[in-house]
Amino acid sequence: MTTLYRGGFVYSPIDPFANAMVVDGGTIAWIGGDDAARVHEDSVDEVVELDGALVTPAFVDAHAHLSQTGAALRGVDVAGAPSLAVALSRVADAARAHQGRPVYAPNWDERHWPEGRPATAAELDRATFGGVVYMPRVDGHSAVISSALAAASGAQNQPGWQGDGLVSREAHHVAREAFNAAISPAQRRSDIDLALRAAAAAGIGLVHENGGRILSSADDFADVLAAGERGDGPQTLGYWAQLVSTEQEAREVAAALGAHGLAGDLNIDGSIGSRTACLREPYADVPDHRGNGYLTVEQVRDHVAACTLAGLQAGFHVIGDAGVDTAIAGIEAAAELVGGDVVRRARHRLEHLEMIDADGIARLVALGVTASVQPAFDAHWGGGEGMYAARLGRERAVGMNPFASMLAAGMTLALGSDSPVTPFAPWEAVRACVNHHTPEQRVSARSAFLAHTRGGWRAAGFDDRGYLDLGLPATFAVWKVGDLVVQAPDDRIQTWSTDPRSGTPGLPDLSPGAELPTTLRTVVRGRTVHDAGAFAA
């Protein structure tokens, strides 16, 4: 099947003025202007009139949890509840509708509720007549569980049991494992498919799955990878969070699971929202608490060295500044063991990397480490009145998520959502970079867009993907857009422009309040995986 797309705008490095593209099977065969496209009219099987639509490479979500995303999409919407009372009412409705089956109610944030607190086990028990409820906080590092789930999992006997159903650390892990164990394989695969359809509808062509023993299961991980190979949705690539200490162990674990790397949510610490991120100085709202550190410098060193020698990417979840110190010291120690050049070539990665200073950035750049970041975190929780400021104080909050500093230092950024923590919304992520709460950390739309497309492929070790060029896989998205502009983060340097003489491909207007693009079609390796029905057959 050969298709000519014409009459729009094609975002490609080979031609900033391109209006048309030919796809032959699963490959891009030609890119150019509408006038030149006429020569292809009679030789293709189909002509798609774009009518001013924008064609871009498909986005890459560099950090997601697919089965949990699908479960959240079919679960109870407590994130949108205006109060705890309403959230509990929705849990009660779900319990009645599910006729006693377990209830999943993720993504609450007590800061948005007038009650200012999470639910309790007693309240969940009353709402469900003693049913099983798993209610994780929006950051996924703490949860409230019902008494039935606490009893089934033994969470009360684990570190992190905070009383009346509130759990973190090991207590949270065992509760999550017990809840997930009750999900049937068929339901899990259905959840994965639901999540992949949502990703395709958002213009995403590749998802980096972050799995692990305390997050999902080996069967879940295998189902995610298999779904990505079917060809009817986005591709998937998997990182497995399991600590290793020898090259042989690293090879065996990765081979058994089909993992691209032993990375992802291999937790050095927790999250700011749950106060489990490991900090140099105490939390502003809990003065005697500095969070939790889960790994030592020596464990990080041995894991990175083992993965490096095995030819695998290593990586960790790390958010707090003390946690970042552990990560950097461990990777530097690994470089001393196996060689700095070898470590740099492995392109190890850190997930989130929210709280890092200029010295830390420079040291990670020297080690060739990629930052897998979530701009929606700043959009949701940044600023002088946001959650970061409440937990850390204003001075530390303004230094969170320093995207501009990372890019200026030469660090590769890959953008993602951490779905279901935040939804698949790549244009929202790009806009969050452009409009960062801290003006000094704003980046251009182009830089953010590249980090959410080509950057996601680079983070996985692929330099020849994530852009539109001849001979590359036809993985792209088509968008309904308004005017295309060139947007920089600082008006002193560059202003908005629609002047084609600049030779810079335009992107949609990403200023606050502007209407974001609508997905018309998503194509992965030449196969349409989402179609809004905008193009007549």
Side-chain angles (χ1 to χ4, degrees):
M1 180 75 174
T2 307
T3 304
L4 167 62
Y5 292 84
R6 68 181 181 187
F9 303 93
V10 179
Y11 194 95
S12 169
I14 68 171
D15 185 350
F17 310 111
N19 307 110
M21 180 173 74
V22 173
V23 174
D24 186 0
T27 304
I28 298 171
W30 178 86
I31 293 173
D34 279 333
D35 289 342
R38 292 180 185 139
V39 72
H40 298 284
E41 287 180 358
D42 296 332
S43 60
V44 299
D45 300 306
E46 180 186 17
V47 176
V48 174
E49 302 292 349
L50 292 170
D51 193 24
L54 172 67
V55 179
T56 72
F59 285 103
V60 177
D61 193 302
H63 189 116
H65 308 275
L66 284 168
S67 65
Q68 293 173 31
T69 296
L73 290 170
R74 66 173 173 84
V76 182
D77 176 20
V78 296
S83 68
L84 173 57
V86 172
L88 290 169
S89 176
R90 292 180 181 180
V91 169
D93 290 343
R96 287 190 291 271
H98 294 169
Q99 297 181 342
R101 293 192 298 274
V103 174
Y104 183 51
N107 291 351
W108 54 270
D109 186 342
E110 77 284 357
R111 297 184 69 254
H112 295 162
W113 290 339
E115 295 90 344
R117 64 171 180 84
T120 65
E123 289 170 330
L124 296 181
D125 296 344
R126 287 194 295 271
T128 62
F129 299 96
V132 171
V133 185
Y134 174 51
M135 194 174 183
R137 193 180 186 278
V138 64
D139 53 45
H141 286 265
S142 60
V144 179
I145 60 175
S146 64
S147 298
L149 182 55
S153 64
Q156 307 99 314
N157 305 317
Q158 296 293 327
W161 174 260
Q162 299 178 42
D164 209 5
L166 185 61
V167 292
S168 63
R169 300 169 60 196
E170 286 85 351
H172 182 204
H173 299 163
V174 298
R176 178 166 50 196
E177 287 178 358
F179 185 85
N180 288 342
I183 299 173
S184 71
Q187 181 63 67
R188 182 181 65 241
R189 288 190 287 270
S190 177
D191 287 344
I192 292 167
D193 289 346
L194 180 61
L196 285 172
R197 288 195 296 273
I204 294 168
L206 170 68
V207 177
H208 294 196
E209 168 71 8
N210 285 246
R213 289 172 170 171
I214 66 170
L215 297 164
S216 52
S217 67
D219 288 341
D220 181 288
F221 195 70
D223 286 340
V224 167
L225 298 184
E229 286 302 310
R230 285 200 312 256
D232 57 353
Q235 293 177 257
T236 56
L237 180 150
Y239 291 96
W240 184 255
Q242 182 171 333
L243 197 68
V244 296
S245 59
T246 67
E247 176 184 354
Q248 180 178 353
E249 185 184 9
R251 291 182 186 278
E252 289 175 352
V253 171
L257 294 161
H260 193 73
L262 301 182
D265 279 329
L266 183 51
N267 291 352
I268 286 177
D269 67 350
S271 72
I272 300 293
S274 290
R275 300 186 189 88
T276 51
C278 192
L279 306 183
R280 295 171 182 167
E281 300 298 331
Y283 282 84
D285 56 352
V286 183
D288 61 346
H289 180 61
R290 296 177 187 241
N292 305 111
Y294 303 132
L295 298 179
T296 66
V297 170
E298 292 74 21
Q299 287 174 309
V300 172
R301 176 199 63 198
D302 293 346
H303 180 80
V304 171
C307 290
T308 300
L309 293 174
L312 295 166
Q313 282 183 293
F316 305 90
H317 160 119
V318 61
I319 289 179
D321 50 6
V324 173
D325 292 341
T326 297
I328 294 173
I331 300 171
E332 287 179 337
E336 292 180 6
L337 279 179
V338 301
D341 288 342
V342 183
V343 166
R344 280 188 287 275
R345 285 197 298 270
R347 299 190 190 185
H348 302 307
R349 52 189 283 170
L350 294 176
E351 308 299 317
H352 315 308
L353 197 62
E354 291 193 82
M355 200 174 182
I356 185 170
D357 56 23
D359 175 69
I361 292 171
R363 291 163 70 186
L364 288 176
V365 169
L367 293 162
V369 173
T370 293
S372 168
V373 298
Q374 293 73 44
F377 290 5
D378 178 73
H380 288 359
W381 302 314
E385 305 301 324
M387 182 270 289
Y388 295 144
R391 295 285 191 266
L392 304 172
R394 282 176 174 263
E395 185 176 349
R396 285 187 291 180
V398 298
M400 297 291 288
N401 296 295
F403 304 142
S405 295
M406 291 174 174
L407 287 171
M411 180 176 280
T412 295
L413 294 191
L415 307 190
S417 62
D418 200 8
S419 181
V421 173
T422 68
F424 294 127
W427 285 115
E428 290 279 11
V430 175
R431 176 153 68 183
C433 289
V434 175
N435 300 286
H436 197 290
H437 277 97
T438 302
E440 293 80 11
Q441 296 303 334
R442 293 172 182 167
V443 302
S444 70
R446 179 176 181 273
S447 294
F449 178 78
L450 292 176
H452 217 338
T453 50
R454 196 165 185 176
W457 285 101
R458 283 177 168 168
F462 299 95
D463 291 332
D464 61 344
R465 295 290 185 272
Y467 59 102
L468 303 181
D469 200 351
L470 308 187
L472 292 185
T475 297
F476 60 92
V478 184
W479 309 93
K480 179 183 177 182
V481 293
D483 290 337
L484 300 180
V485 297
V486 177
Q487 187 177 358
D490 189 336
D491 287 340
R492 294 172 301 175
I493 300 171
Q494 185 176 0
T495 58
W496 297 74
S497 174
T498 56
D499 189 344
R501 291 174 296 179
S502 69
T504 302
L507 287 168
D509 179 359
L510 298 171
S511 57
E515 185 176 355
L516 291 177
T518 302
T519 319
L520 301 178
R521 178 176 289 184
T522 305
V523 177
V524 176
R525 294 180 289 187
R527 184 169 177 177
T528 299
V529 298
H530 170 78
D531 198 319
F535 306 117

